[in-house]
Amino acid sequence: MGNEEKSRDKARQTSDDATSKASRTSKAKEQAEERARKAKLKADEEDQRARETFDRDYDA
C-alpha cells in the first residue's frame, strides 16, 4: 500500500468518524429534546392538578 492509498484511507476514516460523531450528536440532541418535552408535559400536568386542588380547596 502506497502513501497515497494510506492517506486516502486515513481521510476516509476521518470522514467516517466525523459522520458517525455527528449522527450520535444529532441522536443525543433529539433524545434530550424529547426528554425535555416529556418533562415539560409532566410539569404542566402537575401544575394543572395543583391549580385544580387549590381551586377546589379554596372555593369550597
Side-chain angles (χ1 to χ4, degrees):
M1 187 183 283
N3 283 342
E4 188 175 315
E5 289 177 29
K6 286 181 183 178
S7 180
R8 251 195 321 264
D9 286 346
K10 183 170 175 59
R12 189 175 301 116
Q13 184 61 45
T14 300
S15 174
D16 291 347
D17 290 349
T19 300
S20 179
K21 182 177 181 181
S23 177
R24 287 191 312 269
T25 301
S26 177
K27 184 172 178 105
K29 181 180 178 186
E30 289 173 12
Q31 290 172 339
E33 289 171 346
E34 181 63 23
R35 284 192 304 271
R37 278 192 292 273
K38 287 180 180 178
K40 183 179 183 323
L41 180 60
K42 184 176 179 181
D44 289 347
E45 290 170 352
E46 290 173 358
D47 184 54
Q48 182 63 33
R49 278 195 300 274
R51 289 175 191 265
E52 290 169 358
T53 299
F54 179 84
D55 289 345
R56 182 181 64 237
D57 290 349
Y58 289 95
D59 284 345

